[in-house]
Amino acid sequence: MIHVNETEGIFHLTNRHYSYILRIEEGQVVAQEYFGQPIKAYHGARKYPRIDRSFSPNFPDATDRLFSLDTLLQEYPGYGTGDYRSPAQQIKHEDGSDVTDFRYRSYERIKGKPKLDGLPATYVEMEEEAETLVLILEDAKEELELRLAYTVFRDRPILSRSVQLHNVGTKTHDIQKLMSLSLDLPSQQLECLTLNGTWGRERMMERETITRGIKVFDSKRGSSSHQMNPFLAIVSPEATEYSGEVVGFSLVYSGSHQMTIEKDPYGQTRIQLGINPFGFQWQLNPGECFQAPEVNISYSQHGMMQMSHAFHALYRERLARGNFRDADRPVLINNWEATYFDFDETKIKQIMEESAALGIELFVLDDGWFGRRDDDYSSLGDWFEYQEKIPNGLKHLAYHAHAQGMQFGLWFEPEMISRNSRLFRDHPDWTIHIPGRGRSKGRDQYVLDFSRKEVRDNIIEQMTAVLDEVEIDYIKWDFNRNVTEVFSTALPSELQGELLHRYVLGLYEVLEFLTARYPHILFESCSGGGGRFDPGMLYYMPQTWTSDNTDAVARLKIQHGTSMVYPISSMGAHVSAVPNHQTHRKTSLEMRGHVAMAGVFGYELDATRLSEQEKAIVKQQIAFYKTHRRTLQYGTFYRLESAFTSNHPAWMFISQEQDEIIVCDVTVLSEAAAPIRTLKLSGLDPQAIYELEGARYGGDELMYVGLYVPPTVNGDFDSRLYVLKKI
Ligand code: DGJ
């Protein structure tokens, strides 16, 4: 996987999917040579041409007018020695200067993949699965050491990168920017694709041409955000779902992030991803090391779908952990849209009983069970039962769920505090805020300062008191606002720039503790829906609530965008009541079911208010989902028609054993005199025979000719499911 030519100074990282080649240039500068299709016979003769460019300083060899860092394709560029593009790192030294000049010193090869200290990352189960190269670079003057890590997964089109900065000297340095990845590409036409959005409209896909200048995609919110998912793809202009070159970058981090694309005057493109340098600063004292988060890069020669498959498999198999990684996920019902805060013990028990009779496997008690929480103006931080509301307590409700043959789940929002809470009265300084300045509210709540150990300990203590006492099978971990007035009363002024990253590290520490202590609990992450749908959270919690928008039509785009990176087993998707609470649209129960089955399936409605006819449909849906659950949760997912461009979004699943195919075809708006469409399937065995409703088709026929789909006779918002079996 890693070929080193020490004489030529070439590192060739390769597997059957890609080649990534680095070269040590004059003056021990590390240059980026190539990233793309695998090169079998690389001889190293091909060198990037040297040209004397005006206004590009000559460094490190001042006498060589052909050599300048300003025009070289570099691997991890510094600042201040002639490259005027964005540096990968910015470090303020003790004397006030901020020039960095890292040169290659040595390398290490490591079998497998080392863990990242304090941060989530992909992993291997056996050493043979991957090999890691660590390039060690040093800035001799400042006595700083950079360790650039590259893991090649043997069988995946994935390269993982991360960076460590070590202070091996005696002076203190201030890190202002330390990107997890920098990648320079030679001149070519490229486009980029991002997943941006807002609450209720997460991960909308946007594609644009990369032009000269700098384009920044970021989050300054202290979380990965609804607004900009920490994902970026660089695609060739002709790339489609199934053809063309696509390079995907996915940052394993849940805090403020930045992704930049810079195209220089010579058409060269520099890509960087990492912790957002905006407002960031980290004091690196002698002997200390700073670990930047991981970026996973996927290389695809066959379009976006191949990229998504690589990320799906990686994140499902080697990022998610614990008992639930490979387990069947239960069909759940959540009472949020059924009752909001307005429930009592009797109502909850009624929903439980009704749900159990429908075949639902897990009941989730959402917001409102704690403190004195009757609306969103109080009680966050008071994680003890609201006795007037649930007089017999959570234990009794858990018992009741279990007695119905259902599991019991509970909502928490551990990182938040309401002004009107016992916790705030006791510890008004525990929020993130600036003394003497007003505290902005969001949903009438403040963010707890999770960089502080005593705050984390208090929340852990309160949560374990509940979890040790009550038989809880599932936790929904919510996060309903972003930080403002970024300041910690526990940090000295010179360390304030560390707060947001310390917060994320604190959150990860709490999650590590709780998920290790309660391995039997299935954790689902949530942030007002999908405001923190990122690989960092998936390391601790294998599921995320995809969006608060439960409308089946809106979900088509949201789930399509999410599926660019994240596996179906990670995407919570529920059937809710109509008119939909977010869009006020009415869609059929059938379509709501079909769309929710393209995620981890559940319900979010008042089961006691379903008509007999609706109950019959729900029972059928649940029975269908249970029968085909492995295929729907762990099969290979294919996008067939885009929710962003087609009136007929379609997708399909192929079971891991390849013997079952489930196809869903949607009509958003019906048309008069509509044409007969053909829906071409994907990923089938062209030689195999498949059976659909008694008829037999060749795999090639289904992929190249397609299924004929007559126009709907059911009006708008119609959908159809097809189940095919391989003979
Ligand atoms: C936001 C979540 O996304 C919802 O599902 C629900 O849990 C509410 N918070 C409760 O406050």
Side-chain angles (χ1 to χ4, degrees), residues 345-379:
E345 204 171 84
T346 314
K347 180 71 196 170
I348 293 301
K349 281 159 75 175
Q350 283 166 352
I351 298 179
M352 280 179 181
E353 286 155 23
E354 209 52 74
S355 310
L358 296 169
I360 291 171
E361 298 162 311
L362 161 67
F363 175 86
V364 181
L365 182 59
D366 209 277
D367 197 351
W369 59 266
F370 51 91
R372 294 198 61 80
R373 180 100 162 156
D374 288 317
D375 52 34
D376 52 18
Y377 286 87
S378 84
S379 302

Side-chain angles (χ1 to χ4, degrees), residues 121-177:
T122 54
Y123 58 89
V124 291
E125 288 195 332
M126 287 173 305
E127 276 187 352
E128 306 77 62
E129 284 178 35
E131 196 178 356
T132 301
L133 170 73
V134 181
L135 292 186
I136 302 159
L137 282 63
E138 67 182 1
D139 182 316
K141 173 177 180 300
E142 296 298 343
E143 297 176 295
L144 288 168
E145 186 181 285
L146 262 179
R147 296 173 73 91
L148 310 180
Y150 302 81
T151 298
V152 183
F153 284 87
R154 188 187 56 198
D155 300 319
R156 300 175 192 271
I158 297 281
L159 175 70
S160 293
R161 283 183 60 176
S162 63
V163 174
Q164 281 179 356
L165 182 67
H166 293 257
N167 184 347
V168 291
T170 51
K171 292 175 284 184
T172 293
H173 303 266
D174 262 338
I175 308 173
Q176 294 171 333
K177 175 180 183 182

Side-chain angles (χ1 to χ4, degrees), residues 199 334 336 341 366-368 373 376 411 413 443 476 478-480 526-530 545 547-548 604:
W199 174 89
N334 178 306
W336 179 241
F341 296 105
D366 209 277
D367 197 351
R373 180 100 162 156
D376 52 18
W411 181 96
E413 194 177 0
R443 208 193 187 199
K476 179 173 171 189
D478 210 342
F479 177 83
N480 280 304
C526 173
S527 170
W545 177 225
S547 177
D548 271 351
E604 185 140 348

